[in-house]
Coordinates of all heavy atoms in Angstrom, one line a residue:
M1 N -6.2 -77.2 48.4 CA -6.4 -77.1 49.9 C -5.4 -76.0 50.4 O -4.3 -76.0 50.1 CB -6.1 -78.5 50.5 CG -6.4 -78.5 52.0 SD -6.2 -80.2 52.6 CE -6.5 -79.9 54.4
A2 N -6.0 -75.2 51.3 CA -5.2 -74.1 51.9 C -4.1 -74.7 52.8 O -4.2 -75.8 53.3 CB -6.1 -73.2 52.7
D3 N -3.0 -74.0 52.9 CA -1.8 -74.4 53.6 C -1.6 -73.6 54.8 O -1.2 -72.4 54.7 CB -0.6 -74.4 52.7 CG 0.7 -74.8 53.3 OD1 0.7 -75.2 54.5 OD2 1.8 -74.7 52.7
K4 N -1.7 -74.2 56.0 CA -1.6 -73.4 57.2 C -0.1 -72.9 57.5 O 0.1 -72.1 58.3 CB -2.0 -74.2 58.4 CG -1.2 -75.5 58.7 CD -1.8 -76.2 59.9 CE -0.9 -77.5 60.2 NZ -1.5 -78.3 61.3
N5 N 0.8 -73.5 56.7 CA 2.2 -73.0 56.8 C 2.5 -71.8 56.0 O 3.7 -71.3 56.0 CB 3.2 -74.2 56.5 CG 3.0 -75.3 57.6 OD1 3.0 -75.0 58.8 ND2 2.9 -76.5 57.1
S6 N 1.5 -71.4 55.1 CA 1.8 -70.2 54.3 C 0.6 -69.2 54.5 O 0.1 -68.6 53.5 CB 2.0 -70.6 52.9 OG 0.8 -71.1 52.3
K7 N 0.2 -69.0 55.7 CA -0.8 -68.0 56.0 C -0.4 -66.6 55.6 O 0.8 -66.3 55.8 CB -1.2 -68.0 57.5 CG -1.9 -69.3 57.9 CD -2.2 -69.3 59.4 CE -2.8 -70.5 59.9 NZ -3.0 -70.5 61.4
Q8 N -1.3 -65.8 55.2 CA -1.0 -64.4 55.0 C -0.7 -63.8 56.4 O -1.5 -64.1 57.4 CB -2.2 -63.6 54.4 CG -2.5 -64.1 53.0 CD -1.5 -63.7 51.9 OE1 -0.5 -63.0 52.2 NE2 -1.7 -64.1 50.7
P9 N 0.2 -62.9 56.6 CA 0.6 -62.5 57.9 C -0.4 -61.6 58.6 O -0.4 -61.5 59.8 CB 1.9 -61.7 57.7 CG 1.9 -61.3 56.2 CD 1.1 -62.4 55.5
E10 N -1.4 -61.1 57.8 CA -2.3 -60.2 58.5 C -3.5 -60.9 59.1 O -4.3 -60.3 59.9 CB -2.9 -59.2 57.4 CG -1.9 -58.3 56.8 CD -1.3 -58.9 55.5 OE1 -1.4 -60.1 55.3 OE2 -0.7 -58.1 54.8
N11 N -3.7 -62.2 58.9 CA -4.8 -62.9 59.5 C -4.8 -62.8 61.0 O -3.7 -62.9 61.6 CB -4.7 -64.4 59.2 CG -5.0 -64.7 57.7 OD1 -6.1 -64.6 57.2 ND2 -4.0 -65.2 57.0
V12 N -5.9 -62.5 61.6 CA -6.0 -62.4 63.0 C -5.8 -63.9 63.6 O -6.2 -64.8 62.9 CB -7.3 -61.8 63.6 CG1 -7.4 -60.4 63.3 CG2 -8.5 -62.6 63.1
P13 N -5.3 -64.0 64.8 CA -5.1 -65.4 65.3 C -6.4 -66.1 65.4 O -7.4 -65.6 65.7 CB -4.5 -65.1 66.7 CG -3.8 -63.8 66.6 CD -4.7 -63.0 65.7
G14 N -6.3 -67.4 65.1 CA -7.5 -68.3 65.2 C -7.5 -69.3 64.0 O -6.5 -69.3 63.3
P15 N -8.5 -70.1 64.0 CA -8.5 -71.2 63.0 C -8.6 -70.9 61.6 O -8.1 -71.5 60.7 CB -9.7 -72.1 63.5 CG -10.6 -71.2 64.2 CD -9.7 -70.2 64.9
W16 N -9.3 -69.8 61.3 CA -9.6 -69.4 59.9 C -8.5 -68.5 59.4 O -8.0 -67.6 60.1 CB -10.9 -68.7 59.8 CG -12.1 -69.6 60.0 CD1 -12.8 -69.8 61.1 CD2 -12.8 -70.4 59.0 NE1 -13.8 -70.7 60.9 CE2 -13.8 -71.1 59.6 CE3 -12.6 -70.5 57.6 CZ2 -14.7 -71.9 58.9 CZ3 -13.4 -71.4 56.9 CH2 -14.4 -72.1 57.6
Y17 N -8.1 -68.7 58.1 CA -7.0 -68.0 57.5 C -7.1 -68.0 56.0 O -7.8 -68.8 55.4 CB -5.6 -68.5 57.9 CG -5.4 -69.9 57.4 CD1 -4.8 -70.2 56.2 CD2 -5.9 -71.0 58.2 CE1 -4.6 -71.5 55.8 CE2 -5.7 -72.3 57.8 CZ -5.0 -72.6 56.6 OH -4.9 -73.8 56.1
V18 N -6.5 -67.0 55.4 CA -6.2 -67.0 53.9 C -4.7 -67.3 53.7 O -3.9 -66.7 54.4 CB -6.6 -65.6 53.3 CG1 -6.2 -65.6 51.8 CG2 -8.1 -65.3 53.5
D19 N -4.4 -68.1 52.8 CA -3.0 -68.4 52.6 C -2.4 -67.7 51.3 O -3.1 -66.8 50.8 CB -2.7 -69.9 52.5 CG -3.1 -70.5 51.1 OD1 -3.4 -69.8 50.2 OD2 -3.0 -71.8 51.0
Q20 N -1.2 -67.9 51.0 CA -0.6 -67.1 50.0 C -0.9 -67.5 48.5 O -0.3 -66.9 47.6 CB 1.0 -67.1 50.2 CG 1.3 -66.5 51.6 CD 2.7 -66.4 51.9 OE1 3.6 -66.6 51.0 NE2 3.0 -66.1 53.1
T21 N -1.9 -68.4 48.3 CA -2.4 -68.7 47.0 C -3.5 -67.8 46.6 O -4.1 -67.9 45.5 CB -2.8 -70.1 46.8 OG1 -3.8 -70.4 47.7 CG2 -1.6 -71.0 47.1
C22 N -3.9 -66.8 47.4 CA -5.0 -65.9 47.1 C -4.7 -65.1 45.8 O -3.6 -64.6 45.6 CB -5.2 -64.9 48.3 SG -6.4 -63.6 47.9
A23 N -5.7 -65.0 44.9 CA -5.5 -64.5 43.6 C -5.2 -63.0 43.4 O -4.2 -62.7 42.7 CB -6.8 -64.8 42.7
P24 N -5.9 -62.1 44.0 CA -7.2 -62.0 44.7 C -8.3 -61.8 43.7 O -8.1 -61.1 42.7 CB -7.0 -60.8 45.6 CG -6.2 -59.8 44.7 CD -5.3 -60.7 43.9
C25 N -9.5 -62.3 44.0 CA -10.6 -62.3 43.1 C -11.9 -61.6 43.7 O -12.8 -61.5 43.0 CB -10.9 -63.7 42.7 SG -11.7 -64.6 44.0
H26 N -11.9 -61.3 44.9 CA -13.0 -60.6 45.6 C -14.1 -61.5 46.0 O -15.0 -61.1 46.7 CB -13.5 -59.4 44.7 CG -14.1 -58.3 45.5 ND1 -15.4 -58.4 46.0 CD2 -13.6 -57.1 46.0 CE1 -15.7 -57.3 46.7 NE2 -14.6 -56.5 46.7
V27 N -14.2 -62.8 45.6 CA -15.3 -63.6 45.8 C -15.6 -63.7 47.3 O -16.7 -63.6 47.8 CB -15.2 -65.0 45.2 CG1 -16.2 -66.0 45.7 CG2 -15.2 -64.9 43.7
C28 N -14.5 -64.0 48.1 CA -14.7 -64.2 49.6 C -15.2 -62.9 50.3 O -15.9 -63.0 51.3 CB -13.5 -64.7 50.2 SG -12.1 -63.6 50.1
L29 N -14.9 -61.8 49.7 CA -15.3 -60.5 50.4 C -16.8 -60.4 50.2 O -17.5 -59.7 51.0 CB -14.6 -59.3 49.8 CG -13.2 -59.1 50.3 CD1 -12.2 -60.1 49.7 CD2 -12.7 -57.7 50.0
D30 N -17.4 -60.9 49.1 CA -18.8 -60.9 48.9 C -19.5 -61.8 49.9 O -20.6 -61.6 50.4 CB -19.2 -61.2 47.5 CG -18.7 -60.1 46.5 OD1 -18.6 -59.0 46.9 OD2 -18.4 -60.5 45.3
E31 N -18.8 -63.0 50.1 CA -19.4 -64.0 51.0 C -19.3 -63.7 52.5 O -20.2 -64.0 53.3 CB -18.7 -65.4 50.7 CG -18.9 -65.9 49.3 CD -20.4 -66.4 49.1 OE1 -21.1 -66.6 50.1 OE2 -20.7 -66.6 47.9
A32 N -18.2 -63.1 52.9 CA -18.0 -62.8 54.3 C -17.4 -61.4 54.5 O -16.2 -61.3 55.0 CB -17.1 -63.9 54.9
P33 N -18.1 -60.4 54.2 CA -17.6 -59.0 54.3 C -17.3 -58.6 55.8 O -16.5 -57.7 56.0 CB -18.6 -58.2 53.7 CG -19.9 -58.9 53.8 CD -19.5 -60.4 53.6
A34 N -17.9 -59.3 56.7 CA -17.7 -59.0 58.2 C -16.5 -59.6 58.7 O -16.1 -59.4 59.9 CB -18.9 -59.3 59.0
L35 N -15.8 -60.5 57.9 CA -14.7 -61.3 58.4 C -13.4 -61.1 57.6 O -12.3 -61.2 58.1 CB -15.0 -62.8 58.4 CG -16.3 -63.2 59.1 CD1 -16.6 -64.7 58.8 CD2 -16.2 -63.0 60.6
I36 N -13.6 -60.9 56.3 CA -12.5 -60.9 55.4 C -12.4 -59.5 54.6 O -13.4 -59.0 54.2 CB -12.6 -62.0 54.3 CG1 -12.8 -63.4 55.0 CG2 -11.4 -62.0 53.4 CD1 -13.2 -64.5 54.0
R37 N -11.2 -59.0 54.5 CA -11.0 -57.8 53.7 C -9.7 -57.9 52.9 O -8.9 -58.8 53.2 CB -11.0 -56.5 54.6 CG -9.8 -56.4 55.5 CD -9.7 -55.0 56.1 NE -10.8 -54.6 56.9 CZ -10.7 -54.3 58.2 NH1 -9.6 -54.4 58.8 NH2 -11.8 -54.0 58.9
Y38 N -9.5 -56.9 52.0 CA -8.3 -56.9 51.2 C -7.2 -56.2 52.1 O -7.5 -55.2 52.8 CB -8.5 -56.1 50.0 CG -9.0 -56.8 48.8 CD1 -9.6 -56.2 47.7 CD2 -8.8 -58.2 48.6 CE1 -10.0 -56.8 46.6 CE2 -9.2 -58.9 47.5 CZ -9.9 -58.2 46.5 OH -10.3 -58.9 45.4
A39 N -6.0 -56.6 51.9 CA -4.8 -56.0 52.4 C -4.6 -54.7 51.6 O -5.1 -54.5 50.5 CB -3.6 -56.8 52.3
P40 N -3.9 -53.7 52.2 CA -3.6 -52.5 51.5 C -2.9 -52.8 50.1 O -2.0 -53.7 50.1 CB -2.6 -51.7 52.4 CG -3.0 -52.2 53.8 CD -3.4 -53.7 53.6
G41 N -3.4 -52.2 49.1 CA -2.8 -52.5 47.8 C -3.6 -53.6 47.0 O -3.4 -53.9 45.9
E42 N -4.6 -54.2 47.8 CA -5.4 -55.2 47.3 C -4.7 -56.4 46.6 O -5.1 -56.9 45.6 CB -6.5 -54.6 46.3 CG -7.3 -53.6 46.9 CD -8.5 -53.1 46.1 OE1 -8.6 -53.5 44.9 OE2 -9.3 -52.3 46.6
T43 N -3.5 -56.8 47.2 CA -2.8 -57.9 46.6 C -3.3 -59.2 47.1 O -3.0 -60.2 46.5 CB -1.3 -57.7 47.1 OG1 -1.2 -57.6 48.5 CG2 -0.6 -56.5 46.4
H44 N -4.0 -59.2 48.2 CA -4.6 -60.5 48.7 C -5.6 -60.1 49.8 O -5.6 -59.0 50.3 CB -3.5 -61.4 49.3 CG -2.7 -60.7 50.4 ND1 -1.6 -59.9 50.2 CD2 -2.9 -60.7 51.8 CE1 -1.1 -59.5 51.3 NE2 -1.9 -59.9 52.3
S45 N -6.4 -61.1 50.2 CA -7.3 -60.9 51.3 C -6.8 -61.6 52.6 O -5.8 -62.4 52.5 CB -8.7 -61.4 50.9 OG -8.7 -62.7 50.7
F46 N -7.5 -61.3 53.7 CA -7.1 -61.9 55.0 C -8.3 -61.8 55.9 O -9.2 -61.0 55.7 CB -5.9 -61.3 55.6 CG -6.1 -59.8 56.0 CD1 -6.4 -59.5 57.4 CD2 -6.0 -58.8 55.1 CE1 -6.6 -58.2 57.8 CE2 -6.2 -57.5 55.5 CZ -6.5 -57.2 56.9
F47 N -8.3 -62.7 56.9 CA -9.3 -62.6 58.0 C -8.9 -61.5 59.0 O -7.9 -61.6 59.7 CB -9.5 -64.0 58.7 CG -10.4 -64.9 58.0 CD1 -9.9 -65.7 57.0 CD2 -11.7 -65.1 58.4 CE1 -10.7 -66.6 56.3 CE2 -12.5 -66.0 57.8 CZ -12.0 -66.7 56.7
F48 N -9.7 -60.4 59.0 CA -9.5 -59.4 60.0 C -10.3 -59.7 61.3 O -10.1 -59.1 62.3 CB -9.9 -58.0 59.5 CG -11.3 -57.8 59.2 CD1 -12.2 -57.3 60.2 CD2 -11.8 -58.0 58.0 CE1 -13.5 -57.1 59.9 CE2 -13.2 -57.8 57.7 CZ -14.0 -57.3 58.7
K49 N -11.2 -60.7 61.2 CA -12.0 -61.1 62.4 C -12.3 -62.6 62.2 O -12.6 -63.1 61.1 CB -13.3 -60.3 62.4 CG -14.3 -60.6 63.5 CD -15.5 -59.8 63.4 CE -16.5 -60.1 64.6 NZ -17.0 -61.5 64.6
Q50 N -12.2 -63.4 63.3 CA -12.6 -64.8 63.3 C -14.1 -64.9 63.5 O -14.7 -64.0 64.2 CB -11.9 -65.5 64.5 CG -10.4 -65.6 64.3 CD -10.0 -66.6 63.2 OE1 -10.7 -67.6 62.9 NE2 -8.9 -66.3 62.5
P51 N -14.8 -65.9 62.9 CA -16.2 -66.1 63.2 C -16.5 -66.3 64.7 O -15.7 -67.0 65.3 CB -16.5 -67.3 62.4 CG -15.4 -67.5 61.4 CD -14.2 -66.9 62.0
E52 N -17.6 -65.7 65.1 CA -18.0 -65.9 66.5 C -19.4 -66.4 66.7 O -19.8 -66.9 67.7 CB -17.8 -64.6 67.3 CG -16.4 -64.1 67.4 CD -16.3 -62.7 68.0 OE1 -17.3 -62.2 68.6 OE2 -15.2 -62.2 68.0
T53 N -20.2 -66.3 65.6 CA -21.6 -66.7 65.7 C -21.8 -67.8 64.6 O -21.0 -67.9 63.7 CB -22.5 -65.5 65.4 OG1 -22.3 -65.1 64.0 CG2 -22.2 -64.3 66.3
P54 N -22.9 -68.5 64.7 CA -23.2 -69.5 63.7 C -23.3 -68.9 62.3 O -22.9 -69.5 61.3 CB -24.6 -70.1 64.1 CG -24.6 -69.9 65.6 CD -23.8 -68.6 65.9
E55 N -23.9 -67.7 62.3 CA -24.0 -67.0 61.0 C -22.6 -66.7 60.4 O -22.4 -66.8 59.2 CB -24.8 -65.7 61.1 CG -26.3 -65.9 61.4 CD -26.5 -66.3 62.9 OE1 -25.6 -66.2 63.7 OE2 -27.7 -66.7 63.2
E56 N -21.7 -66.2 61.2 CA -20.4 -65.9 60.8 C -19.6 -67.2 60.4 O -18.8 -67.2 59.4 CB -19.6 -65.1 61.8 CG -20.1 -63.7 62.0 CD -19.4 -62.9 63.1 OE1 -18.8 -63.5 64.0 OE2 -19.6 -61.7 63.1
E57 N -19.8 -68.3 61.1 CA -19.2 -69.5 60.8 C -19.7 -70.0 59.4 O -18.9 -70.4 58.5 CB -19.5 -70.6 61.8 CG -18.8 -70.5 63.1 CD -17.3 -71.0 63.0 OE1 -17.0 -71.6 62.0 OE2 -16.6 -70.7 64.0
A58 N -21.0 -69.8 59.1 CA -21.6 -70.2 57.8 C -21.0 -69.3 56.7 O -20.7 -69.8 55.6 CB -23.1 -70.0 57.9
A59 N -20.8 -68.0 57.0 CA -20.2 -67.1 56.0 C -18.8 -67.5 55.7 O -18.4 -67.5 54.5 CB -20.3 -65.7 56.5
A60 N -18.0 -67.9 56.7 CA -16.6 -68.3 56.5 C -16.6 -69.6 55.6 O -15.8 -69.8 54.7 CB -15.9 -68.5 57.8
E61 N -17.5 -70.6 56.0 CA -17.6 -71.8 55.2 C -18.0 -71.5 53.7 O -17.4 -72.1 52.8 CB -18.7 -72.7 55.8 CG -18.3 -73.4 57.1 CD -17.4 -74.6 56.9 OE1 -17.2 -75.0 55.8 OE2 -16.9 -75.1 57.9
N62 N -18.9 -70.6 53.5 CA -19.3 -70.2 52.2 C -18.1 -69.6 51.4 O -17.9 -69.9 50.2 CB -20.5 -69.3 52.2 CG -21.8 -69.9 52.6 OD1 -21.9 -71.2 52.6 ND2 -22.7 -69.2 53.1
A63 N -17.4 -68.8 52.1 CA -16.2 -68.2 51.5 C -15.2 -69.2 51.1 O -14.6 -69.2 50.0 CB -15.6 -67.1 52.4
M64 N -15.0 -70.2 52.0 CA -14.0 -71.3 51.7 C -14.5 -72.1 50.5 O -13.7 -72.4 49.6 CB -13.8 -72.2 52.9 CG -12.8 -73.3 52.7 SD -12.4 -74.1 54.3 CE -13.9 -74.9 54.7
Q65 N -15.8 -72.4 50.4 CA -16.3 -73.2 49.3 C -16.2 -72.4 48.0 O -16.0 -73.0 46.9 CB -17.7 -73.6 49.6 CG -17.9 -74.5 50.8 CD -17.2 -75.8 50.7 OE1 -17.1 -76.4 49.6 NE2 -16.7 -76.4 51.8
A66 N -16.4 -71.1 48.1 CA -16.4 -70.3 46.8 C -15.0 -69.9 46.3 O -14.9 -69.6 45.1 CB -17.2 -69.0 47.1
C67 N -14.0 -70.0 47.1 CA -12.7 -69.5 46.7 C -12.1 -70.4 45.6 O -12.0 -71.6 45.7 CB -11.7 -69.6 47.9 SG -10.1 -69.1 47.4
P68 N -11.8 -69.8 44.4 CA -11.4 -70.5 43.3 C -10.0 -71.1 43.4 O -9.6 -72.1 42.7 CB -11.5 -69.5 42.1 CG -11.3 -68.2 42.8 CD -12.0 -68.3 44.1
T69 N -9.2 -70.6 44.3 CA -7.8 -71.1 44.4 C -7.6 -71.9 45.7 O -6.5 -72.3 46.0 CB -6.8 -69.9 44.4 OG1 -7.0 -69.1 45.6 CG2 -7.0 -69.0 43.2
E70 N -8.7 -72.1 46.4 CA -8.7 -72.9 47.7 C -7.6 -72.3 48.6 O -6.9 -73.0 49.3 CB -8.3 -74.4 47.4 CG -9.4 -75.0 46.5 CD -9.2 -76.5 46.4 OE1 -8.2 -77.1 46.9 OE2 -10.0 -77.2 45.7
A71 N -7.7 -70.9 48.7 CA -6.8 -70.2 49.6 C -7.3 -70.0 51.0 O -6.5 -69.6 51.9 CB -6.5 -68.8 49.0
I72 N -8.5 -70.4 51.3 CA -9.1 -70.2 52.6 C -9.1 -71.5 53.3 O -9.5 -72.6 52.8 CB -10.5 -69.7 52.5 CG1 -10.5 -68.3 51.8 CG2 -11.2 -69.6 53.9 CD1 -11.9 -67.7 51.6
G73 N -8.6 -71.5 54.6 CA -8.5 -72.7 55.4 C -9.0 -72.5 56.8 O -9.2 -71.4 57.2
N74 N -9.2 -73.6 57.4 CA -9.6 -73.7 58.8 C -8.9 -74.8 59.5 O -9.1 -76.0 59.2 CB -11.2 -73.9 58.9 CG -11.7 -74.1 60.3 OD1 -10.9 -74.1 61.3 ND2 -13.0 -74.2 60.4
D75 N -7.9 -74.5 60.4 CA -7.1 -75.5 61.0 C -7.6 -75.7 62.5 O -6.8 -76.2 63.3 CB -5.7 -75.2 60.9 CG -5.2 -74.0 61.6 OD1 -6.1 -73.3 62.3 OD2 -4.1 -73.6 61.5
G76 N -8.8 -75.3 62.8 CA -9.3 -75.5 64.1 C -9.8 -76.9 64.4 O -9.8 -77.7 63.5
Ligands
SF4_1 S1 -11.9 -66.0 47.2 FE1 -9.9 -66.9 47.5 S2 -8.6 -66.1 45.8 FE2 -10.5 -64.9 45.9 S3 -9.9 -63.1 47.1 FE3 -10.8 -64.6 48.5 S4 -9.1 -65.9 49.3 FE4 -8.4 -64.7 47.5

């Protein structure tokens, strides 16, 4: 389960985040390319945009379900 106390610093403010257990493995970027991207150096991913539409919420949920390290969380 993702830890809201260890969020990656680049996440934009809001309920969705990537924490510091990100591998990185690229899976979430395939699920939610409009919301999540790699940080420079590709050491981890982060939310550059919070979901605003039902479709984006679904993409974030899919990314969370697909993440092998459970690094994606929603504390909203
Ligand atoms: S799916 Fe999880 S481990 Fe893989 S890049 Fe995304 S947040 Fe990181």
